[in-house]
Amino acid sequence: MITQSPGAAAPTPPSPAGSKVPAPAVWLTAAGFLPFGALSLATFLLPPFDQPRAEVGLMVYGAVILSFLGGVQWGLEMARQRIDAGAPALGKLSISVVPSLIAWVCVAMPFAVGSVGLAAGLGAMLLYDLYTVRQAHAPEWYPKLRIPVTLAVMIALILPNAV
């Protein structure tokens, strides 16, 4: 995160070390993808009568992760209060609860529609996360972590619809 120097009008430039994704974030993110990959494959590999279970698992896990990403934004906004007495902003906190609402609606839909809705929600959340990085409200390494895993998750959610 970029910190603000006392009396400075603009954030201080990030250090080169600030652009490296921390190893724990990489490992936990990779581990977090495993259920997506496994459940997506299961929709192809399981016998037809078990495939709906894999679809439900994929949808529920996708909903949990989309909700989690909203929580990340809530946390970032709360943390901003340390450097900005005007934080947390109602608008930013409101945006952080939208992913949970999208996830909830998607889980109630048939798999073919809900999985695409979750993928779209994850894509939209990625765009908002990139915006928060540009606003210096999130670590500069965050896109390096989020872009590849979000694309992989979106594929995992949509791929079962191809068969």
Side-chain angles (χ1 to χ4, degrees), residues 50-132:
D50 283 330
Q51 289 173 355
R53 288 188 189 147
E55 291 173 348
V56 168
L58 186 58
M59 291 276 289
V60 170
Y61 189 64
V64 167
I65 295 302
L66 184 54
S67 295
F68 170 80
L69 292 171
V72 168
Q73 286 299 323
W74 181 284
L76 288 171
E77 185 59 18
M78 297 300 290
R80 270 187 355 100
Q81 195 170 33
R82 291 185 334 167
I83 60 171
D84 180 358
L90 176 61
K92 290 182 186 228
L93 289 178
S94 297
I95 288 172
S96 74
V97 299
V98 170
S100 295
L101 297 172
I102 291 170
W104 173 60
V105 169
C106 289
V107 168
M109 295 179 173
F111 179 78
V113 177
S115 61
V116 172
L118 285 170
L122 287 161
M125 198 65 219
L126 174 62
L127 293 175
Y128 187 74
D129 286 346
L130 296 176
Y131 167 79
T132 61

Side-chain angles (χ1 to χ4, degrees), residues 33 36 40 58 115-127 146-161:
F33 173 76
F36 282 111
S40 185
L58 186 58
S115 61
V116 172
L118 285 170
L122 287 161
M125 198 65 219
L126 174 62
L127 293 175
R146 287 276 287 118
I147 292 170
V149 74
T150 300
L151 294 175
V153 165
M154 291 171 73
I155 291 167
L157 282 164
I158 295 171
L159 192 60
N161 291 317

